[in-house]
Amino acid sequence: MPQTVEIREILKDFYKISGIRISIHDTEFNEIYSCPSTASPFCKCLQEKSEVQRDCLKNDSAAFEKVKATGEVYVYKCRRGLYEAVAPIYHYGTLSGYLMMGQFRDNCEASLEYITSKGANIIGDKQKAEELALTVNAIDKKLIDSYINIMVLLAEYLTGTNRLFTHNEKLPQLIKEYINKNYQDKITLSILSAKFGCCKATLTKCFKKEFDISIMEYLCEVRLKAAEGLIVKTRKSFKEISNICGFYDQNYFSKTFTRYYGSSPSNYRKANLKK
């Protein structure tokens, strides 16, 4: 597997093959990236009850703690009867996060009945609970162990290639360098979160503390300064410049540029041409 493969692409490929939700979590158990991005309809409906959501988080946290203590994959069933599995990920020997797969059932009729009854007890509607239970991906028992083995291999790959960053002092600088190099591309907190293996809160907090500016404010400044250089030094159209610098919306670019430099792109170019 080539090292250039992005973590997000790995998770997407796993989901395409298995149909099982897979996610990456940091050492504080925050979800960094998942595929699909939302929980299954069954889990989503049940977790609308705050007590169920708290119970699920407590159950998952206990699984993460167990993996942290043992350093080994942990396979279990949640209180609603769905399969879950967690494996550790390391970064140069230090625990940096967890790979998790779950929200699926085996294809036995007894499992479907159990999940339905648990759902009915929570939402108070047996028919709806059965409909939701049927949306849960049913995996042949013979394949479950195979998918778990693949997940463990993915965790070992992420460990072996040191793809998931630990929360260290270099993180703010690494984020800054990434933005400086890739400002022309689409950059969001979600993309950075998946890239550096940290939740959005950790990313924003450490960057703000180090540079006294938010990540998105810094990204905007980098793009504006690049645009300013192109306006003065080239004859490219403003639409082309906005696209080159990662704005993709000329009106937004013009308003942002005017607010930052105190002059519209066209007036700025005229003034500097006269100079």
Side-chain angles (χ1 to χ4, degrees):
M1 187 180 291
Q3 289 194 15
T4 54
V5 177
E6 290 289 335
I7 294 175
R8 289 173 295 164
E9 295 304 316
I10 295 173
L11 268 58
K12 285 180 181 178
D13 287 342
F14 178 85
Y15 177 68
K16 287 177 184 177
I17 293 170
S18 66
I20 298 173
R21 188 177 195 269
I22 186 165
S23 55
I24 290 180
H25 302 253
D26 64 20
T27 52
E28 297 173 356
F29 313 151
N30 299 301
E31 187 175 285
I32 299 168
Y33 183 80
S34 64
C35 187
S37 58
T38 58
S40 69
F42 178 83
C43 294
K44 192 173 182 180
C45 180
L46 268 57
Q47 288 176 5
E48 289 178 358
K49 304 281 188 180
S50 58
E51 63 273 19
V52 175
Q53 187 178 46
R54 287 195 298 271
D55 187 52
C56 289
L57 290 173
K58 183 179 179 180
N59 199 32
D60 290 345
S61 295
F64 291 134
E65 290 287 2
K66 186 175 182 68
V67 172
K68 181 179 179 180
T70 63
E72 298 178 353
V73 63
Y74 177 49
V75 183
Y76 62 102
K77 283 187 179 181
C78 74
R79 289 187 175 92
R80 261 53 71 179
L82 303 186
Y83 278 91
E84 307 278 1
V86 181
I89 304 173
Y90 297 91
H91 184 258
Y92 293 106
T94 301
L95 182 68
S96 59
Y98 306 89
L99 187 62
M100 184 179 193
M101 59 177 273
Q103 299 183 6
F104 67 95
R105 63 180 176 87
D106 60 48
N107 59 350
C108 296
E109 189 64 29
S111 297
L112 179 60
E113 292 175 359
Y114 181 84
I115 293 169
T116 300
S117 66
K118 287 293 184 179
N121 289 338
I122 294 171
I123 63 178
D125 186 331
K126 186 175 180 180
Q127 183 177 347
K128 184 177 180 180
E130 185 173 0
E131 291 173 357
L132 288 169
L134 288 170
T135 68
V136 176
N137 196 12
I139 305 296
D140 191 306
K141 273 194 169 184
K142 296 177 183 178
L143 291 176
I144 291 176
D145 287 341
S146 298
Y147 287 137
I148 291 171
N149 289 338
I150 293 173
M151 186 203 72
V152 172
L153 289 174
L154 290 180
E156 291 176 352
Y157 165 73
L158 294 173
T159 292
T161 54
N162 297 297
R163 304 299 298 277
L164 201 64
F165 288 84
T166 52
H167 302 171
N168 55 46
E169 295 177 356
K170 294 181 180 179
L171 182 58
Q173 185 59 39
L174 291 171
I175 296 170
K176 191 174 186 179
E177 290 173 0
Y178 179 83
I179 290 173
N180 291 343
K181 185 178 180 181
N182 300 282
Y183 67 88
Q184 296 173 313
D185 301 329
K186 181 180 179 181
I187 297 179
T188 64
L189 289 178
S190 296
I191 289 173
L192 292 174
S193 179
K195 174 72 178 178
F196 293 103
C198 299
C199 67
K200 296 176 185 178
T202 297
L203 287 175
T204 54
K205 184 178 179 179
C206 74
F207 194 90
K208 178 76 172 181
K209 182 179 179 181
E210 180 72 18
F211 299 116
D212 196 29
I213 186 174
S214 74
I215 291 175
M216 302 317 290
E217 286 173 339
Y218 178 74
L219 172 61
C220 188
E221 282 194 1
V222 171
R223 286 173 169 170
L224 285 170
K225 289 174 181 177
E228 189 269 346
L230 291 174
I231 287 172
V232 173
K233 298 175 183 179
T234 75
R235 294 286 185 177
K236 294 181 184 296
S237 69
F238 298 128
K239 182 177 181 179
E240 187 177 2
I241 290 173
S242 67
N243 288 333
I244 290 173
C245 297
F247 285 100
Y248 307 114
D249 185 322
Q250 188 178 346
N251 291 331
Y252 173 73
F253 162 65
S254 181
K255 290 178 181 178
T256 306
F257 187 94
T258 302
R259 185 168 60 248
Y260 189 82
Y261 284 99
S263 176
S264 68
S266 58
N267 289 337
Y268 192 88
R269 173 173 276 174
K270 290 175 185 178
N272 282 276
L273 284 176
K274 288 179 181 179
K275 292 179 181 179

